[in-house]
Amino acid sequence: MISTISPKKFFQSADFPDFDNWQSELAAAISDLDELHRLLDLPAPEAADTPKHFGLRVPHAFIQKMQKSDPLDPLLLQVLPSPAERLAVEGYSTDPLAENHQNPIKGLLHKYRSRVLLTITGACAVHCRYCFRQHFDYAANQPSSREISAVTEYISAHPELDEVIFSGGDPLSVNHKFLSLWLDKIADIPHIHTVRLHTRLPVVLPNRIDDELLSLFANYPKKIVMVLHINHANEIDEALIKKCQALRAANVVLLNQTVLLKGINDDAEVLSKLSHALFAAGIMPYYLHVLDKVAGAAHFDLPIKQAVGIYWQLLERLSGYLVPKLVQELPNRPYKTPVNLHLLDDD
Ligand SMILES: *Cc1c(COP(=O)(O)O)cnc(C)c1O
Ligand code: SF4
């Protein structure tokens, strides 16, 4: 039996405010470095010089899963701005996937034949320091309510599409009215069978999965897939497990994608614990992504041979269905590319 609960100093309820709804919880996300350190019983940090458009941002519910007094907590390291972000490293760019040129219309990316990706918002509840879309020009790519029709006309005119993916930013960071407007429009397109949501909200702010959203999903006429983004077993707590049960009861299929991150989950033991914890929560491992080479994230990257070595150990340890696919995104390929697992053979 693998336990995901490590001995930790628990937060007292007095540490955090009570919230009436997810919007006020979202609005109260911590953006002040000193406050974050105080909550975690860590010494005050040196002033960090974070980019204005992508500063510190982390909701209380995610902080609650961190270990107090541990400066190397794997959840903390994902959100804590670091001076290493400011280093220019060769090979790391602001648009590693050359996506900024692949928008046929505002808010829509059509890179893969059978599915389109929609960015209905640039906002996220949390700022992950390794995010590959941290430099993406969302303001220029966000369709307004009025522009929804341009997107739905494009999808209607492309019968080779069978799935619409809401991505971001985080598509669950928008309000219920805007999200249901989008989902209603997609529901009317006959050749779309599946709607997918790529989201980290249930992980960093489980209260986002409220009754209103659950009933929207339960009554939706198409298949709904939710791809969560969880990188470490400590992100899976009781609150998330309960919400996953509710989502499954609403007929939502739950998958997970993980980014392989130096110092956070670059270890077969950590990753197999994660797979077991996901499965216990009713979430199937889907992808393990090699980091996209985005400017500011080089310090999270590891050599591809090391990634492959870790992956072979995972294959050895886990039931086949618990092993995510190891992939990387290469510019201008019409799919996510499986990593060559025989890189090590000549050594
Ligand atoms: C990742 C991604 C998808 C989804 O790919 P799957 O392999 O179906 O998960 C679709 N469009 C874009 C642009 C993507 O980056
Ligand atoms: S939640 Fe996803 S899109 Fe948002 S900052 Fe994190 S990695 Fe980027």
Side-chain angles (χ1 to χ4, degrees):
M1 173 78 205
I2 291 172
S3 165
T4 60
I5 317 283
S6 44
K8 63 187 278 184
K9 277 208 251 167
F10 288 102
F11 283 91
Q12 307 298 312
S13 51
D15 286 337
F16 292 118
D18 273 333
F19 297 102
D20 293 337
N21 56 48
W22 69 267
Q23 280 98 341
S24 48
E25 197 173 340
L26 181 63
I30 300 291
S31 57
D32 181 87
L33 263 185
D34 290 323
E35 195 177 354
L36 177 64
H37 284 74
R38 191 177 49 74
L39 286 168
L40 292 168
D41 287 344
L42 288 168
E46 311 246 329
D49 176 17
T50 49
K52 281 212 175 48
H53 73 282
F54 202 68
L56 171 71
R57 184 168 169 80
V58 54
H60 292 84
F62 197 64
I63 299 172
Q64 255 166 316
K65 304 185 209 194
M66 297 174 187
Q67 182 113 35
K68 275 189 171 185
S69 314
D70 181 2
L72 298 180
D73 178 89
L75 278 55
L76 175 63
L77 291 181
Q78 293 182 53
V79 300
L80 190 66
S82 145
E85 289 173 25
R86 276 171 284 143
L87 299 174
V89 181
E90 208 188 317
Y92 294 78
S93 80
T94 55
D95 182 20
L97 309 179
E99 276 186 342
N100 288 346
H101 312 287
Q102 273 166 325
N103 303 52
I105 47 176
K106 206 171 173 182
L108 183 146
L109 272 175
H110 190 182
K111 274 167 81 173
Y112 304 165
R113 184 183 149 77
S114 63
R115 50 237 189 262
V116 279
L117 192 141
L118 306 185
T119 54
I120 60 168
T121 174
C124 279
V126 65
H127 285 170
C128 313
R129 304 320 302 173
Y130 44 82
C131 179
F132 77 99
R133 290 228 171 87
Q134 59 182 277
H135 308 281
F136 194 72
D137 187 359
Y138 283 109
N141 280 291
Q142 222 166 288
S144 61
S145 318
R146 263 186 304 114
E147 288 161 331
I148 290 183
S149 57
V151 171
T152 52
E153 276 162 27
Y154 180 95
I155 297 170
S156 300
H158 286 79
E160 76 275 20
L161 295 171
D162 58 27
E163 181 172 21
V164 172
I165 303 169
F166 288 87
S167 182
D170 198 307
L172 288 186
S173 64
V174 306
N175 68 37
H176 186 78
K177 201 170 151 211
F178 192 55
L179 183 67
S180 53
L181 176 67
W182 272 103
L183 290 185
D184 287 349
K185 298 282 181 197
I186 304 298
D188 291 338
I189 306 174
H191 57 269
I192 299 301
H193 302 303
T194 305
V195 165
R196 195 194 318 178
L197 295 135
H198 283 183
T199 178
R200 193 145 159 74
L201 243 305
V203 184
V204 300
L205 207 155
N207 289 334
R208 173 63 182 97
I209 310 300
D210 58 4
D211 293 343
E212 210 177 20
L213 184 69
L214 288 165
S215 101
L216 173 68
F217 288 164
N219 297 306
Y220 198 66
K222 319 244 181 209
K223 196 84 198 156
I224 295 190
V225 177
M226 188 178 275
V227 181
L228 297 169
H229 170 186
I230 302 174
N231 297 319
H232 193 285
N234 291 1
E235 294 172 42
I236 302 172
D237 62 355
E238 267 320 304
L240 176 59
I241 291 169
K242 283 217 180 82
K243 296 300 184 180
C244 289
Q245 277 166 355
L247 285 165
R248 279 162 24 106
N251 276 326
V252 177
V253 172
L254 297 177
L255 306 175
N256 184 62
Q257 53 184 341
T258 296
V259 184
L260 190 58
L261 298 164
K262 183 155 96 189
I264 292 164
N265 61 14
D266 55 339
D267 178 282
E269 185 58 31
V270 169
L271 289 171
S272 45
K273 267 194 186 159
L274 171 60
S275 273
H276 283 290
L278 288 168
F279 185 66
I283 310 164
M284 294 309 294
Y286 179 37
Y287 279 141
L288 178 60
H289 293 272
V290 171
L291 191 84
D292 292 312
K293 304 222 173 287
V294 66
H299 56 296
F300 287 112
D301 208 359
L302 49 148
I304 188 80
K305 286 193 172 185
Q306 195 185 332
V308 167
I310 292 168
Y311 195 72
W312 278 114
Q313 293 176 46
L314 265 193
L315 286 167
E316 240 173 72
R317 279 163 204 242
L318 290 172
S319 303
Y321 58 85
L322 293 183
V323 184
K325 294 181 229 200
L326 182 66
V327 292
Q328 64 195 136
E329 209 156 350
L330 302 176
N332 307 318
R333 297 266 186 109
Y335 41 73
K336 305 222 189 290
T337 307
V339 170
N340 173 8
L341 295 184
H342 298 285
L343 280 174
L344 304 177
D345 289 356
D346 317 327
D347 296 359

